[in-house]
Amino acid sequence: MKNAIKLGFLALSFGLFAVACGGASTEATGDSTATAAANAIDSTVQVADSATQAIGDSAKATVDSLASKVDSAAAHK
């Protein structure tokens, strides 16, 4: 008998929980200012990443060019 009462109380509690939650219907209530700020930050990060990548590629090309000049000078000696 005690288990039946516990089970009934559990079922009633679950039912009340489901009703209180509105059947799991949710509304998108996002902050448009926060979303716009997050998008601006993301685009700024992408620009910074691409600029850093370009600088790194340029530096690598310069080092490779100097290394080949040193190699060719050493081969001529």
Side-chain angles (χ1 to χ4, degrees):
M1 184 68 186
K2 288 182 183 180
N3 288 337
I5 293 172
K6 289 178 187 177
L7 187 59
F9 182 76
L10 181 65
L12 179 65
S13 299
F14 183 77
L16 290 175
F17 175 75
V19 170
C21 289
S25 63
T26 59
E27 292 183 21
T29 57
D31 185 9
S32 62
T33 304
T35 303
N39 290 340
I41 290 170
D42 289 342
S43 65
T44 303
V45 168
Q46 289 175 352
V47 169
D49 285 344
S50 65
T52 303
Q53 184 69 28
I55 291 170
D57 291 344
S58 175
K60 184 178 183 290
T62 303
V63 168
D64 289 343
S65 173
L66 291 174
S68 67
K69 287 180 182 178
V70 168
D71 288 342
S72 71
H76 285 56
K77 281 192 172 188

